[in-house]
Every structure is written in C-alpha cells, then in structure tokens.
Amino acid sequence: MQTIVQLDYQAILANTAQPVHLAFQFIAPSTAGHRERPIAFSLVLDRSGSMAGPPLAAALTAAKVVVQNLRTEDQFSLVTFDNSAEVVIPIGPVKNKTQTCNLIDRIVDGGSTNLTAGWMLGRDQLRGTPKDTVRRQLLLTDGLLNVGVIEPVHVKRVVGDGLARDGIRTSTLGFGDEYDEDLLSTLATTTGGCFYDANQADKLPTIFNAELDGLQKIAIQNLRIRFKALDFVDALASMGGYTEIALPDGRHEYAIGDLMSDEERVAVFALSVLPIPLLAGSTTPAANLDGEALVEVEILYDSIEAAGIVSHTERHLIRVRPTQAPEDIQLNASVLPWVSAQQAAKMVTEALKLRDQDDLIGARKLLTDGITQLKAYAHDEQTKDGLNLLESALRQLEDPAQYVRSRKSLSRMSVQYCKMSSTDEWVSEAQEAPSFKKPRNRRPPTPGPTDQTTTS
C-alpha cells in the first residue's frame, strides 16, 4: 500500500496558537491475480409490519440477488427480526441456490422493530466462521428503534464491540422515510461499513452486488492509525468522524477499516498547535532546526497477498516549522480539497441539527457562513467539492415540504464526504460526484515534513 502523509501548512507563525490539518492518503494495491478469500455475509432483515408491501418485496428480491452471486466457498446467513429475531438460514455455504431463494420468498411481515436483537443474532452467526474469514453484516430496516435495546448510544456500543471483538463490519440500508439516518450512518461509520438508502427499489441489486464485490476484492484489512501527541499539540480530532480509542500507553487509535483493490482513501485530522517559541533574536525554532515535532504516528494494517496475509507497520514523525516571516507560510493546495470537503460535511451535519430544532434561519446562516469561509481560501478549484455540498444543502433546506427526504440525502452525502473513498457508489443524482470519486493521477505529491520508518 502506498501511504502519503501531508500537512496543510508546513510552516506556521511562531508564538501563535493555531490549528493545522494532517492528511493521510492511502492507495491500496491491485489484487488482480490474487487468490480471492472466502467471505461470510450475514443479511439481517427487518420484517416488521411497516415493511409490508413493496419495501419487503424489494428487500427479498435483492436478497436473492446476493444468493445468486455467492461463490461456492462463501458463507451466508439470513436473520429476520420484528418483535424478536429468528435465524432463517444458518451460516454456511449455499449448496442449493434455488432452495435458498424459495426460503427467502416465504418471509412475511410481522410486528414491531427489535433492531438490536436482529443485529446480535446475525453477529452470533458470523462468530461461527473461521477467524481469518472476512465478516460483513448488512442490516436492512425501515423504522425507528421501538423494542429491546433502543438507546442509540447503547446500540452503537454493541455494534462497535462486534468490530473490536469479532471483526464484523456492518453496512446499513434504510427503507422509506421513517428510518433514523443518524443511527444507521453512525453504525456504518463506526465499523467501517457503508450507509445506503433504499428509496428506489431498482437500486437494491446494485447495492447488494457492490457489497459482495467489495468483500471479494479486499486488499487492505484492519487499517488503523495511532497517535502520540507531543509537547506542542493541545488536542487532536478526526475530521472524518472515526471513533477514537484511548490505548493503555496514552496514545489514541482510529480504525479506518478495509480497503478494496485499487481503492484510494483519505483521512484528515485536526491538530490544535500551541505557540511554538523562537530563539531570542533568531528566526529559528527554539527546539529543533528542522521544525518542532508535533505527533508520532503509527500506521498498522494487513495486506491480502497471493502468499497470504502480511502485517505491516509504518512510523512517521510529523514536524512543523515555526517562522516569523509571513511569506514562509504557504498553503499546501493538494491537501485543501480534503480539508475543505470535510469542513463542509461537518457544517452540514450541524445545520441539520439546527433545522431539526426548527431553526431554519440559524441553519441557513451556518451554511452561508461556511460558503464564505471556503471562498476565502481563494482556491476555487480546490474547494469546489465542499462548496457544492454546502450549496446543495442550502437549496434543499429551503423546501420544508421535502425536508424528510432531503435530510436523508444530505446525511448520506456527508457520510461519504467524511469517509472519502474512491470506490463507494455515489449516492446523489442531483449533485455531481466529488473529485475523490474520480480517477486520479497516481503520481504522489510532494510529501510533508515527516520522518518515516516502515517495517513489515
């Protein structure tokens, strides 16, 4: 895997506290010609009463598409839930696809929505597979939590533990207008999965095929970043919303997830930098002529290679140079598209919260101020993605009659802006795909000020 680490500013004003952004660009290798690994795929399907009719029919059709595309070495299970959860198809290879599809056709709608029970039963099915199997759960639902464990923070903890303990990544798919997009996006983001909307039934086979295709082409597994903040860093935060885990040695870890063959992924972190002094009467930093060390970074991942799984560790020391000369402070234009896009995603999320509180004026002002902020960079091409998202949000929030659907659309776009994967299918037909979805020149940009050691 190719890793490129850059700061948006390699030099900052001395004796001044300010934020800088640290960007990681990961480019996964091609797995063409490699032996494909078996997968374990658990489909957890909401069959509550509100799914009756077209939603359930579309979900069952898509489930049969999954079955038809499974390989002989893959394992599959189907769990349904309403008031309680039930295993319809136990985990294992699908030996008779026609018979399995007939079982799916017999599923009928039932009662309420015990989503957590369904997910946990799907988890238990996946636990029965070999530990080196790629495990993925796809959760389909149209409703809010109303039976069993219903507090979103508790559901998130359960699903997050499924990743930490059992390596289960969860993708979510919402039906209709009543599902909780904040919950479904959080569950997917927490585990490195994808969040989809099933408003158009004809898209379901494509979504399911994308899930299977992604699982069968994983090139990098368990990618995670660990940080040790040094003296001049007051705080560090993920702009993409990755969950922070405090390690016993004082470092902080963020799980990025798995990468498909040839996938490009970007993760951006905001560092709050304290004032860095200079030597008296000098333009050089007090501590180090090469710049002050901000954070120690460790990147860990497993690569899926023809000979098997190989573990890797990269180490980087991130430095920034304090200066008293304003002309030395130059914006790294190659990082700006990522930083501005994730700034925009955060603003949209905050604007949706204001709109939920019926504060349309506040939401509109936040988005308008955000557009002004991005335009102030004076790099229109580099900030185009962020501006498109903010302007789209501003247009959609102006129509109260369409807010329920608009909110779901904007939530999904914000999730994709945060994940910044080149391979996830773009969710909006009204807005053109952002630049990180398009093919790129693979020549790496000039790296930032890092000292790197790589071991495998």
Side-chain angles (χ1 to χ4, degrees):
M1 181 176 69
Q2 184 180 10
T3 304
I4 302 164
V5 186
Q6 303 179 86
L7 287 171
D8 57 350
Y9 288 96
Q10 298 182 14
I12 61 175
L13 281 177
N15 300 306
T16 303
Q18 65 184 84
V20 297
H21 296 94
L22 177 60
F24 298 83
Q25 183 182 16
F26 302 107
I27 303 175
S30 172
T31 58
H34 291 179
R35 179 181 180 275
E36 293 182 334
R37 303 177 66 206
I39 64 172
F41 191 89
S42 180
L43 188 63
V44 178
L45 176 62
D46 181 353
R47 69 175 194 93
S48 60
S50 56
M51 285 284 288
L56 184 58
L60 298 183
T61 298
K64 290 184 287 185
V65 171
V66 171
V67 170
Q68 295 296 342
N69 284 278
L70 291 169
R71 304 168 303 176
T72 56
E73 65 268 31
D74 295 331
Q75 299 193 59
F76 174 78
S77 76
L78 175 61
V79 171
T80 61
F81 65 92
D82 55 349
N83 295 310
S84 58
E86 175 187 7
V87 176
V88 178
I89 301 173
I91 193 71
V94 176
K95 297 179 180 179
N96 187 322
K97 292 186 176 181
T98 299
Q99 187 180 53
T100 301
C101 289
N102 288 338
L103 286 173
I104 293 173
D105 281 332
R106 296 174 190 169
I107 296 172
V108 296
D109 56 279
S112 298
T113 307
N114 194 337
L115 183 151
T116 308
W119 185 92
M120 293 175 71
L121 194 54
R123 172 204 61 193
D124 293 343
Q125 290 292 300
L126 292 172
R127 278 177 169 172
T129 62
K131 289 186 177 181
D132 61 347
T133 303
V134 177
R135 298 169 173 173
R136 176 63 64 89
Q137 184 170 161
L138 182 59
L139 174 67
L140 299 88
T141 182
D142 78 328
L144 304 172
L145 303 173
N146 54 29
V147 178
V149 180
I150 62 174
E151 290 296 330
V153 64
H154 295 155
V155 181
K156 177 184 176 182
R157 184 178 300 115
V158 169
V159 175
D161 286 346
L163 173 64
R165 298 178 182 179
D166 303 302
I168 298 171
R169 302 195 183 280
T170 301
S171 288
T172 57
L173 199 154
F175 287 80
D177 291 335
E178 299 303 321
Y179 69 83
D180 185 343
E181 61 269 23
D182 292 339
L183 174 66
L184 296 189
S185 64
T186 296
L187 299 184
T189 300
T190 298
T191 63
C194 298
F195 166 44
Y196 303 100
D197 177 79
N199 193 42
Q200 294 177 286
D202 59 347
K203 289 187 175 181
L204 291 181
T206 301
I207 290 172
F208 278 61
N209 284 333
E211 280 291 300
L212 279 175
D213 189 54
L215 288 174
Q216 293 166 353
K217 292 183 179 180
I218 289 178
I220 299 297
Q221 191 170 278
N222 299 323
L223 173 61
R224 53 208 186 278
I225 308 174
R226 293 175 176 172
F227 294 91
K228 179 181 178 181
L230 302 178
D231 291 342
F232 288 100
V233 171
D234 184 49
L236 181 148
S238 164
M239 294 188 66
Y242 290 106
T243 301
E244 177 183 338
I245 300 174
L247 301 178
D249 61 5
R251 292 184 297 168
H252 296 270
E253 178 178 291
Y254 298 84
I256 306 302
D258 301 335
L259 273 63
M260 291 173 53
S261 175
D262 291 317
E263 179 180 355
E264 297 183 18
R265 183 86 63 85
V266 174
V268 180
F269 294 82
L271 309 179
S272 297
V273 181
L274 298 170
I276 302 177
L278 299 177
L279 292 171
S282 171
T283 59
T284 59
N288 194 302
L289 294 177
D290 296 326
E292 186 62 46
L294 297 180
V295 290
E296 294 176 356
V297 176
E298 188 175 62
I299 302 170
L300 304 96
Y301 61 93
D302 301 321
S303 60
I304 313 301
E305 303 179 8
I309 300 176
V310 180
S311 296
H312 302 265
T313 302
E314 298 181 11
R315 294 182 177 87
H316 301 257
L317 181 63
I318 310 301
R319 297 180 182 273
V320 70
R321 183 170 59 86
T323 179
Q324 290 181 326
E327 63 272 15
D328 292 341
I329 301 173
Q330 300 293 326
L331 175 64
N332 183 351
S334 62
V335 174
L336 181 57
W338 307 327
V339 173
S340 59
Q342 295 203 354
Q343 287 175 333
K346 183 177 180 180
M347 293 172 192
V348 169
T349 299
E350 293 174 353
L352 291 177
K353 292 178 181 178
L354 290 174
R355 180 65 182 83
D356 291 343
Q357 300 167 6
D358 293 325
D359 186 2
L360 178 58
I361 294 176
R364 185 187 297 123
K365 183 178 186 305
L366 179 61
L367 295 172
T368 303
D369 289 348
I371 291 171
T372 301
Q373 178 183 332
L374 294 195
K375 287 184 175 180
Y377 280 114
H379 288 267
D380 292 345
E381 188 60 33
Q382 284 75 18
T383 58
K384 179 181 178 181
D385 292 338
L387 288 170
N388 283 346
L389 179 60
L390 292 174
E391 290 166 354
S392 176
L394 194 58
R395 289 193 302 271
Q396 294 188 58
L397 291 186
E398 292 294 336
D399 186 355
Q402 297 296 320
Y403 179 64
V404 171
R405 290 307 313 172
S406 295
R407 193 188 195 288
K408 288 172 169 52
S409 173
L410 291 170
S411 293
R412 297 195 312 277
M413 285 194 287
S414 294
V415 168
Q416 290 201 321
Y417 266 62
C418 289
K419 186 177 179 182
M420 281 199 157
S421 166
S422 62
T423 56
D424 290 350
E425 182 181 359
W426 180 235
V427 296
S428 174
E429 295 179 351
Q431 180 182 323
E432 67 172 308
S435 61
F436 56 84
K437 295 290 183 187
K438 302 172 183 177
R440 298 180 183 176
N441 183 344
R442 285 299 182 89
R443 179 184 298 175
T446 303
T450 64
D451 299 326
Q452 175 180 338
T453 302
T454 304
T455 60
S456 300

